[in-house]
């Protein structure tokens, strides 16, 4: 197998260099003791390849050509070359010399030593043979020559090699040779060391980061290392001296390896796929070519493989030379590094080429230009990788910081959303969801506890909205929320919770106009007094922009476990309880099923009542009214009775409030008047002085047709309006004092008597009562129940009688159950009485019987 200098082959191809020949006379090399020896030689080319040393020696002197510089490059030739030079020791001392062809890749080299015509020694070497034996232990082809004082010897060298015939002859004193060889070896090993360190660093980075970029780079630099250790012959000398074939292939394989992985690295490093598709395509083509080159290095003949390598090198260098600037122009930072890194290598290649071609002088720089260039390239690219690593890390940290920022923002947004979902947007009070959650939580913690769910509704908010506009009413709401929170905070019984943000919650906004609190009654220290005080405070007008605004709040409450076992039901029932408060009275209305018009059974009850009224299935019972002055029966109070087909007797208190809420009351009142007047007509025949009282409700006051109805019905039976009394409870009158007054007036105007029922159960003022067109006041049973036993009750009743009389009203005592009370009332000057003592309410027929049998009681 032949070998040649592959590097020079491609350099030759690159620069299409020619050969340099020079002709000279045969001259010997004069050698003294001084260290420097200017070498020169004569040579002939053996075109036939058949010359022996004898043939060569017999050639005429003029057939030899002169190479005065001592170094020649004959290009690619497989023809043997013969070199000849004479060594003259002009000194008086023995000299030991080394004649060396300073190129490790020569295939077959044979040295001949002649003293005159006597052949002293012959030594064959070359890198197609095992490394040892060598005449001098060094990778370059060297021959040891000793000269005695004034002695001259002629040396012949036959060289035959594949590829480039590069013959740099150097003749050195033996000691100088070794000094220089060791210097050179140190430099080489320093260079190899550097490459090895770079390889190891990049392998380590690759193993840590698992980024193939670093692996490509490590393998590419390994390719360089293999190339330079092979071309310098050190790997042959030190690693596999017995395997010249391996030595040849190692050099061949090193080139595709370094090129292949340099290209892979380049693509990855410059991210050509993203930044320059054309460049990427060229690099990909290069990759396929290098794979082919790799296999050709393994299996093709040396010369073919070297040709392919040379072509590859031409493209490889050109492509990578432009890759950096292209990426740089595309704005890639890596492009700058790559351009800078590739430049010294290009300079190195050019310098080596220039030296080989004789354009540049032979000196340290030109001699080691390739090594320096590739070393710098490796170094700069290592810096570039470090820079990339640094930036990537920075980017990663920035990305992490960014994602952290995003996460915080996300978290904040979530918190805001959660806050928005759990709070009222105007008052920022926790909302109904939060209230339900809190109440349920409390129940869960202590299911055996007792809790009140209290609700407040600002009933005038709608009206306030319309009057003041939304902005001001929002301010009002905020004011109310604050006031409520301030009041609730001081209440011992109001349950307080600390939310996630550390804020104290005690008042919750359940809807636009209602608020809720949870009360744990066992922690109330003053038996609801402070709570009632707070409610009163809430009823005070709110002052906004110098306006005192009446809020008309209503308060409702429900009790756990009696009124419900979860927050939703308790809140609902507290709202129902609110309906149970007499209007304009600042009291807590507790839930009662009786008033729960919304319960299903109650809803069906109302439709049943409507049916009963329409089909005359209800009845009027009559309770007589006794005059305490004359002892006669002066009137009858009509009281509705309903015998429900399934539920049996249902008393007015169980359906009247519901009828009022659902509006069925208008139907009921209409029926009561029609039936009452009809019964009255029947009674008047026998008892011409008897009047009848019919109860009406507050809702009837809004029913404008009432007058008409009464008048037409009375007319129908030819009864005078004075026989009819309309009873309206005190609280019903107070519900809407102004319009109540007007309607009562219109009723009185047509001649009806007006009676104020249940007087004393509400809070009406006498000054207001004074304005009413009433003729009669009925004292509520609750005031009369203990008049015989309680002095204060007696005083109250006495005062009430006197005041009523003072205002011109007749007084009726209700619910009198015993004779004692009756007599006392008579004594006190009360005008009339009703009660079980006298008679229970009776159906018309029974009443007629009772009336017939009645004898003046006094
Ligand atoms: P009210 O108008 O104050 O009627 C008097 C109530 O006291 C009646 O109850 C009567 O039965 C009851 N009562 C009479 N004497 C005594 C007594 O000595 N002791 C006791 N404990 N109670 C006595 P009732 O009939 O159950 O009616 C209750 C309320 O329902 C009435 O109170 C009235 O406000 C209303 N009501 C009854 N019928 C009608 C009606 O036809 N229309 C309207 N709008 N309301 C009615
Ligand atoms: Mg009544
Ligand atoms: Mg009454």
């Amino acid at each position: 197998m032949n070998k040649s200098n592959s590097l020079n082959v491609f350099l030759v191809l690159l620069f299409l260099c020619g050969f340099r020949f020079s002709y000279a006379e045969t001259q010997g090399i004069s050698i003294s003791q001084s260290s420097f020896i200017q070498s020169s030689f004569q040579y002939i080319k053996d075109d036939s390849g058949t010359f022996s040393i004898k043939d060569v020696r017999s050639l005429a002197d003029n057939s030899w050509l002169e190479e005065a510089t001592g170094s020649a490059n004959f290009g690619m030739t497989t023809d043997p070359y013969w070199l000849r030079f004479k060594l003259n020791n002009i000194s008086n001392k023995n000299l030991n010399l080394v004649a060396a062809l300073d190129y490790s890749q020569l295939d077959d080299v044979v040295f001949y030593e002649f003293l005159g015509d006597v052949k002293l020694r012959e030594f064959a070497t070359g890198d197609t043979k095992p490394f040892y034996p060598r005449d001098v232990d060094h990778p370059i082809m060297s021959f040891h020559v000793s000269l005695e004082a004034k002695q001259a010897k002629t040396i012949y060298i036959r060289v035959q090699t594949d590829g480039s015939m590069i013959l740099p002859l150097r003749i050195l004193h033996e000691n100088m040779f070794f000094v220089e060889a060791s210097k050179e070896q140190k430099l080489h090993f320093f260079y190899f060391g550097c490459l090895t360190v770079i390889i190891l660093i990049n392998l380590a980075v690759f193993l840590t980061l698992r980024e193939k970029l670093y692996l490509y780079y490590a393998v590419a630099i390994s390719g360089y290392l293999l190339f330079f250790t092979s071309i310098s012959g050190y790997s042959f000398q030190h690693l596999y001296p017995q395997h010249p074939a391996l030595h040849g292939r190692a050099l061949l394989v090193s080139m595709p390896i370094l090129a292949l992985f340099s290209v892979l690295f380049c693509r990855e490093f410059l991210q050509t796929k993203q930044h320059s598709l054309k460049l990427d395509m060229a690099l990909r083509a290069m990759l396929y070519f290098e794979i082919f080159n790799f296999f050709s290095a393994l299996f093709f003949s040396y010369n073919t493989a070297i040709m392919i390598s040379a072509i590859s090198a031409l493209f490889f260098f050109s492509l990578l030379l432009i890759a950096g600037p292209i990426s740089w122009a595309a704005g890639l930072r890596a492009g700058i590094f790559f351009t800078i890194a590739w430049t010294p290598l290009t300079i190195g290649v050019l310098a080596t080429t220039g030296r080989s071609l004789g354009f540049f002088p032979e000196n340290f720089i030109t001699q080691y230009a390739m090594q320096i260039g590739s070393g710098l390239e490796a170094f700069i690219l290592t810096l570039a990788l470090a820079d990339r690593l640094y930036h990537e890390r920075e980017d990663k940290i920035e990305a992490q910081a960014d994602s952290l920022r995003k996460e915080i923002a996300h978290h904040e947004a979530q918190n805001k959303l959660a806050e928005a979902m759990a709070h009222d947007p105007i008052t920022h009070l926790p909302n109904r969801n939060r209230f339900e959650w809190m109440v349920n939580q409390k129940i869960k913690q202590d299911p055996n506890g007792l809790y009140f769910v209290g609700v407040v509704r600002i009933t005038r908010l709608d009206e306030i909205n319309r009057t003041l506009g939304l902005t001001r009413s929002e301010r009002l709401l905020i004011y109310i929320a604050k006031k409520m929170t301030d009041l609730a905070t001081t209440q011992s019984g109001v349950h307080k919770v600390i939310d996630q943000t550390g804020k104290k919650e005690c008042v919750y906004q359940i809807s636009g106009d209602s608020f809720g609190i949870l009360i744990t009654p066992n922690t109330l220290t003053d038996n609801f007094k402070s709570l009632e005080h707070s409610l009163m405070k809430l009823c005070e007008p709110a002052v906004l922009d110098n306006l005192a605004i009446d809020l008309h709040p209503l308060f409702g409450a429900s009790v756990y476990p009696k009124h419900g076992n979860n927050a939703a039901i308790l809140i609902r029932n507290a709202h129902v309880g609110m309906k149970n408060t007499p209007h304009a009275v600042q009291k807590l209305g507790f839930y009662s099923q009786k008033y729960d018009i919304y319960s299903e059974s109650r809803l069906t009850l109302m439709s049943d009542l409507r049916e009963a009224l329409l089909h005359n299935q209800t009845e009027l019972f009559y309770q007589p009214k006794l005059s305490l002055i004359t002892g006669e029966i002066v009137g009858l109070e009509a009281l509705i009775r309903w015998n429900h087909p399934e539920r049996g007797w249902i008393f007015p208190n169980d359906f009247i409030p519901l009828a009022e809420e659902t509006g069925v009351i208008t139907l009921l009142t209409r029926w009561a008047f029609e039936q009452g007047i009809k019964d009255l007509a029947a009674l008047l025949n026998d008892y011409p002085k008897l009047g009848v009282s019919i109860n009406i409700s507050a809702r009837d006051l809004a029913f404008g047709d009432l007058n008409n109805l009464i008048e037409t019905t009375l007319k129908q039976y030819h009864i005078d309006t004075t026989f009819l009394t309309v009873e309206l409870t005190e609280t019903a009158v107070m519900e809407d004092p102004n319009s109540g007054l007007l309607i009562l007036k219109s009723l009185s105007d047509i001649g009806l008597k007006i009676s104020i029922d249940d007087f004393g159960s509400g809070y009406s003022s006498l000054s207001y009562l004074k304005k009413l067109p009433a003729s009669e006041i009925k004292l509520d049973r609750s005031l009369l129940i203990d008049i015989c036993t309680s002095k204060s009750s007696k005083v109250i009743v006495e005062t009430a009688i006197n005041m009523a009389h003072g205002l011109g009203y007749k007084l009726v005592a209700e619910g009198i159950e015993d004779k004692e009370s009756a007599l006392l009332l008579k004594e006190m000057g009360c005008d009339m009485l009703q009660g079980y003592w006298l008679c229970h309410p009776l159906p018309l027929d029974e009443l007629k019987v009772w009336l017939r049998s009645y004898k003046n009681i006094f």
Side-chain angles (χ1 to χ4, degrees), residues 437-448 451 560 565:
W437 176 84
M438 185 274 286
V439 172
N440 284 332
Q441 203 67 10
K442 191 76 192 148
I443 292 172
K444 214 157 117 196
Q445 276 166 15
D446 183 10
N448 299 320
Y451 310 110
Y560 169 88
N565 59 2

Side-chain angles (χ1 to χ4, degrees), residues 59-104:
L59 287 171
D61 272 351
N62 61 3
S63 33
W64 290 89
L65 299 166
E66 190 75 21
E67 177 50 69
T69 63
S71 181
N73 181 346
F74 299 111
M76 282 184 65
T77 174
T78 48
D79 293 337
Y81 269 76
W82 284 88
L83 270 56
R84 180 179 84 168
F85 50 91
K86 201 172 196 178
L87 300 171
N88 282 330
N89 183 359
I90 53 170
S91 74
N92 294 321
K93 292 223 163 136
N94 290 351
L95 294 175
N96 282 325
L97 303 173
V98 172
L101 286 171
D102 197 357
Y103 184 42
S104 64

Side-chain angles (χ1 to χ4, degrees), residues 757-758 780 814:
D757 205 350
D758 298 351
D780 194 64
E814 278 192 300

